[in-house]
Amino acid sequence: MTAEAAPGQSFAHSGKFFNVLGLALKNAGLTLITLTMYRFWARTSMRRRLWSRTWVMGDPLEYTGRAGELFRGFLISLPCFFLPAIFVFYIAPVALEAVWAGWLTFGFYVFSVPLVAAARYWMRRYQLSRTRWRGIKLGLAGSAWSFAAASWGWWVLQLLSLGWYTPAARINRARMMWENTRFGDQPFHFETPPGESPQRRMWWPFAFGWIGTAIGFFASYLSAGILAAVLTTSGMIDAAPNSSIVSAGVFLLGTALTVISYFIAFAPYRAAAMNRIAAQIVLDGARFKLRAKTLSLLFYQSLGWIFLIFSLGLLSPVAGFLQVRYVLNRLELIDTPRFAEIGQSVLADSDAGESLGDAFDLDMGVGVI
Amino acid sequence: MQARYADGRAAVFADVEISLTPDKLFIRHGERTIDWDYADLARSDDNNGYVVLRQKRKPDTGERLMFGNWYDDELKAVAPHLMKPLAQGVEGRLTVGALVTLAWSLAGAFLIGIPYAAGPMARAMPEKYRTQIADISWTQVNNFTAQCDDADEATQILNDVAYRIMERSSVPERDEIWITIADAGFPNAFALPDNSIIVTDELIGMAEQPDELVGVLAHEIAHIEHNHIMKNVIRQIGAGIFFDVVFGGAGAGQAIAIASVNLAGLRYSRGDESDADSRGMDYLDAAGISTAGIATMFDRFEAYAEEEGAGDIPTILSSHPASRQRAIAARARAREGLAPSMTEREWRIVQQACGGADTLDQEETPQAAPR
Ligand SMILES: [Zn+2]
């Protein structure tokens, strides 16, 4: 009468689509009638649902976070983030010289890059500290600000290299996150097998994505332009070929097609990056293995985006669920950590909630674990 | 009964024997027996097919008891509260009710408060800020209009007529108000925070008689005299701040909240429009100009709106009391036998400003239009 999963299936997700959809719909309704105030409760109940259906070696994860904590975090973020933001975006343009107001806005955007990174880190710390397995708490040590500073440096390198530094930056961020992640008193490690590049098998998919997007960009605008020319000259659309409505249409269609080609071209890279990161995570000598495949991942992610777009973001947890379930059902643990040796965590609890994560709208209502 | 117990000190579950007696839950773990009070317990399984029990006490020691949901009947018999959603951490009706009340009270306080505060705040607004806001408005205006280099004489004529009207009604701002003719692809007229009034060449082209155009000018002057422009700016800044801060997060929820406030905002600015209509007609009456002109103009707006669709409605009627009603009100006050507000020669010059209006049927849309 034990709940051990079959050997070889160290991870599984037993969430049912309609069960999750039902909760997402209930949450969406309550979020609407509370003018979005319910969002903290919605997020909490959705996490409880998704965590409790995540099985590791036959035992479920447990989410112990409370909506009140998120709400309090939101109240804390009011003076620290929103008051400066109000000043920059609403008061400064009126009260300051235009030049100064412009610089202030620019500075705010520059500062928000590391701030978003720090917010991600705090959010992850909060979520891990509210996650238990077999009663043992997870956690995230380290400093959010050093993550933010490092992250900012990698972001600059990404810009300067026209994106080509992205695979390395992604691995660097994952390394910093996982090296600081704890299960109880046991740290995770991020170890590259000797003689291998940390980004092994990520460069070719990335090159495919980069070049594919570049080609997609030109092809999208070209085909949108040709379509518009055909429709207007043949008289199927009653507008002059150079009128502003037609050029706006060309721009919109071209942009939409570019986004779609970006999404498709980078699908192999997304799968490769997930697999590569999982392969380097180690807990007490035990390694992880993820078997994400380009086409199936693309299918579930597209499905998620369709839900997200057609519900205007209200059903974004469904998109998060599809991805979480996809990953967990393809994740394996090679060897077994000595769980009897792993004791309770000694990290202090994060008590600021996810304040800034909410301000930047980071997590699609599910979580970033 | 079989169950699994984790003591919170190591990441393992041990097989244990439990018994659910009426007053306590007993866990026999090897030599030890642990007893839990049902009242102290909560569940953390969210109905995933198992019952996972923990103690509610703080801090959480990580002790867990887990067994399959096949013992549900036995558990229900001794601890019915553990079968309720509340035991799983689902919030009660009270929380939801409180949130609904809080959200709508905040929104209500805003809907009622900001429009009331807008008047006094507009009056207290320092001159420097007003100039700064005007600069921003001018940047926006320059985005969708062009300057005319052949409109000096027409501009002077319009300003002379307007001054005559304002003098008769002793409008305090009469020395600061300046009317500009702008070249744009759509008919429009609006006032800016620095007491400028912009009239587009297409609006002039829409009018067939000088009184029709002068009626529009009078309406805009009334907006300035009653400080409607700054009030509106303050309402919009207030709305922006309110929504950015309170209603972050979900896109659609935010959209609905914004829509509900815009409806209310519309009601207030509709009040301003009626106010400007009647004050504008007071000017016309005092200056001996018939309100039949502005009545005709309202008819033209309505025809134009029907033809072009709602997106292209000039801002002078964008937050209307319906144009038909406005036309009826203006016609009711119209007097016969008054001289036109400009000479024929003056009117011809005004009509030819900016090279005269293009045809009205072109497919241009205004990009942004301040009210
Ligand atoms: Zn008006």
Side-chain angles (χ1 to χ4, degrees):
Chain A
M1 213 173 290
T2 57
E4 291 293 342
Q9 223 209 341
S10 24
F11 292 90
H13 200 275
S14 64
K16 296 280 175 291
F17 179 79
F18 285 102
N19 179 278
V20 173
L21 181 66
L23 181 62
L25 285 171
K26 175 201 156 193
N27 284 342
L30 286 173
T31 301
L32 288 184
I33 66 164
T34 56
L35 304 173
T36 78
M37 284 295 208
Y38 187 75
R39 62 184 185 273
F40 310 106
W41 282 261
R43 203 172 288 168
T44 301
S45 63
M46 183 52 77
R47 285 184 193 156
R48 210 183 298 123
R49 178 73 37 102
L50 296 184
W51 266 234
S52 69
R53 278 141 181 88
T54 299
W55 302 86
V56 183
M57 324 272 303
D59 291 321
L61 289 188
E62 185 189 322
Y63 182 72
T64 60
R66 304 190 58 85
E69 296 168 341
L70 298 183
F71 188 60
R72 203 180 54 201
F74 162 69
L75 294 180
I76 292 172
S77 76
L78 282 180
C80 325
F81 176 72
F82 285 106
L83 286 186
I86 286 170
F87 181 78
V88 170
F89 290 106
Y90 291 100
I91 314 289
V94 175
L96 298 179
E97 301 284 332
V99 183
W100 291 113
W103 277 107
L104 200 61
T105 314
F106 177 74
F108 191 85
Y109 278 120
V110 168
F111 183 64
S112 70
V113 172
L115 204 60
V116 166
R120 251 180 227 293
Y121 206 85
W122 285 320
M123 192 161 191
R124 183 124 150 171
R125 172 172 293 162
Y126 173 79
Q127 287 178 17
L128 285 172
S129 75
R130 299 301 186 273
T131 302
R132 283 174 189 259
W133 181 72
R134 293 182 176 171
I136 302 293
K137 205 161 64 171
L138 282 88
L140 185 65
S143 140
W145 288 114
S146 23
F147 179 75
S151 213
W152 190 82
W154 297 323
W155 177 74
V156 170
L157 287 177
Q158 279 175 271
L159 279 188
L160 294 180
S161 65
L162 299 178
W164 287 94
Y165 188 72
T166 303
R170 174 127 188 214
I171 291 292
N172 291 345
R173 290 194 186 97
R175 183 193 309 277
M176 202 154 174
M177 284 276 193
W178 281 103
E179 287 281 352
N180 283 307
T181 303
R182 305 279 184 270
F183 173 59
D185 55 8
Q186 184 74 29
F188 281 85
H189 294 290
F190 195 86
E191 285 171 9
T192 311
E196 281 183 16
S197 153
Q199 297 91 22
R200 198 167 72 109
R201 299 203 185 122
M202 283 167 69
W203 290 110
W204 284 113
F206 183 82
F208 179 83
W210 200 98
I211 294 164
T213 306
I215 294 172
F217 172 79
F218 289 110
S220 298
Y221 283 99
L222 196 66
S223 49
I226 290 172
L227 182 72
V230 168
L231 288 180
T232 47
T233 50
S234 69
M236 288 172 78
I237 289 181
D238 183 23
N242 59 352
S243 66
S244 57
I245 183 101
V246 170
S247 38
V250 168
F251 176 75
L252 277 180
L253 182 64
T255 309
L257 290 176
T258 304
V259 169
I260 291 173
S261 52
Y262 163 84
F263 185 68
I264 293 173
F266 273 104
Y269 170 72
R270 283 196 299 275
M274 283 164 97
N275 290 340
R276 187 59 184 154
I277 288 171
Q280 297 177 78
I281 300 170
V282 181
L283 177 65
D284 190 30
R287 285 189 170 274
F288 291 75
K289 186 167 180 64
L290 177 65
R291 295 174 208 274
K293 297 271 189 301
T294 298
L295 284 181
S296 52
L297 181 66
L298 182 63
F299 172 76
Y300 282 106
Q301 286 184 333
S302 312
L303 203 62
W305 276 105
I306 288 169
F307 264 95
L308 194 82
I309 291 167
F310 284 96
S311 70
L312 301 175
L314 276 175
L315 294 182
S316 60
V318 174
F321 156 69
L322 289 172
Q323 174 140 342
V324 165
R325 187 176 65 170
Y326 178 88
V327 168
L328 283 164
N329 285 341
R330 281 159 188 78
L331 186 65
E332 279 173 36
L333 190 54
I334 302 163
D335 302 330
T336 309
R338 292 161 296 163
F339 288 122
E341 314 283 304
I342 297 179
Q344 193 59 275
S345 163
V346 288
L347 289 180
D349 271 1
S350 148
D351 53 4
E354 298 179 328
S355 40
L356 287 176
D358 179 61
F360 291 117
D361 212 3
L362 284 181
D363 86 326
M364 306 208 311
V366 176
V368 289
I369 288 183
Chain B
M1 292 154 77
Q2 295 288 319
R4 304 172 70 227
Y5 168 78
D7 62 9
R9 291 194 287 271
V12 281
F13 268 120
D15 288 331
V16 293
E17 186 76 22
I18 57 167
S19 51
L20 304 171
T21 72
D23 10 289
K24 270 178 189 296
L25 187 158
F26 289 99
I27 305 163
R28 263 181 302 281
H29 181 209
E31 305 287 285
R32 250 164 17 113
T33 301
I34 303 154
D35 57 296
W36 283 358
D37 272 333
Y38 295 114
D40 290 343
L41 299 184
R43 285 175 65 168
S44 50
D45 50 74
D46 200 46
N47 297 313
N48 62 2
Y50 288 80
V51 174
V52 179
L53 293 177
R54 65 180 168 84
Q55 290 168 292
K56 280 190 282 194
R57 77 157 87 103
K58 297 218 162 191
D60 185 350
T61 57
E63 275 176 281
R64 294 292 185 272
L65 187 68
M66 175 166 151
F67 47 86
N69 57 6
W70 42 86
Y71 292 143
D72 273 3
D73 290 340
E74 287 90 332
L75 190 62
K76 192 170 187 174
V78 290
H81 71 277
L82 289 176
M83 292 295 158
K84 301 221 170 81
L86 212 57
Q88 299 273 16
V90 177
E91 71 285 340
R93 294 227 171 102
L94 204 65
T95 311
V96 177
L99 282 174
V100 173
T101 315
L102 175 71
W104 286 95
S105 322
L106 275 174
F110 168 77
L111 292 182
I112 297 162
I114 288 282
Y116 271 107
M121 282 171 75
R123 277 190 294 279
M125 179 75 76
E127 196 52 39
K128 191 179 152 232
Y129 292 7
R130 178 188 282 268
T131 321
Q132 211 92 31
I133 294 172
D135 285 350
I136 297 170
S137 315
W138 269 108
T139 322
Q140 288 174 353
V141 170
N142 289 335
N143 279 338
F144 60 89
T145 64
Q147 306 225 315
C148 306
D149 43 17
D150 62 350
D152 288 353
E153 204 181 349
T155 305
Q156 195 57 54
I157 292 168
L158 287 189
N159 278 291
D160 287 347
V161 174
Y163 195 85
R164 218 171 62 221
I165 295 171
M166 292 190 283
E167 215 170 19
R168 198 65 60 85
S169 294
S170 308
V171 176
E173 295 83 5
R174 60 184 176 275
D175 290 318
E176 296 158 28
I177 289 177
W178 184 256
I179 300 163
T180 308
I181 303 174
D183 190 356
F186 49 89
N188 209 341
F190 44 86
L192 296 186
D194 64 350
N195 296 341
S196 308
I197 294 172
I198 318 255
V199 182
T200 70
D201 57 338
E202 295 288 316
L203 186 92
I204 296 173
M206 210 179 201
E208 277 171 20
Q209 299 295 327
D211 288 3
E212 299 174 20
L213 178 63
V214 170
V216 172
L217 294 180
H219 173 94
E220 296 304 329
I221 293 168
H223 273 315
I224 293 178
E225 191 193 10
H226 288 179
N227 218 351
H228 291 160
I229 295 100
M230 282 315 293
K231 265 165 73 181
N232 193 44
V233 167
I234 289 169
R235 274 201 298 262
Q236 283 180 0
I237 292 181
I241 290 177
F242 187 70
F243 287 113
D244 275 4
V245 173
V246 178
F247 304 124
Q254 197 177 20
I256 287 188
I258 290 174
S260 65
V261 163
N262 277 348
L263 274 180
L266 199 66
R267 196 164 58 89
Y268 289 105
S269 51
R270 192 180 294 171
D272 286 354
E273 289 307 321
S274 307
D275 186 30
D277 275 357
S278 73
R279 182 66 183 145
M281 287 191 272
D282 289 347
Y283 300 152
L284 297 178
D285 282 345
I289 299 168
S290 173
T291 56
I294 186 74
T296 311
M297 206 58 178
F298 286 138
D299 288 341
R300 295 191 201 284
F301 288 155
E302 198 182 359
Y304 181 83
E306 268 168 27
E307 199 174 300
E308 300 284 316
D312 269 359
I313 301 175
T315 43
I316 179 176
L317 82 157
S318 67
S319 44
H320 43 108
S323 291
R324 194 171 313 207
Q325 257 79 57
R326 299 171 85 178
I328 291 169
R331 203 153 275 132
R333 292 176 65 158
R335 287 179 291 157
E336 306 230 336
L338 296 172
S341 49
M342 293 180 205
T343 66
E344 254 174 58
R345 184 183 157 275
E346 284 172 335
W347 179 230
R348 236 185 346 267
I349 293 171
V350 169
Q351 281 181 305
Q352 275 153 15
C354 293
D358 315 323
T359 51
L360 267 176
D361 290 320
Q362 65 180 57
E363 308 257 345
E364 290 282 338
T365 44
Q367 288 164 329
R371 209 171 271 148

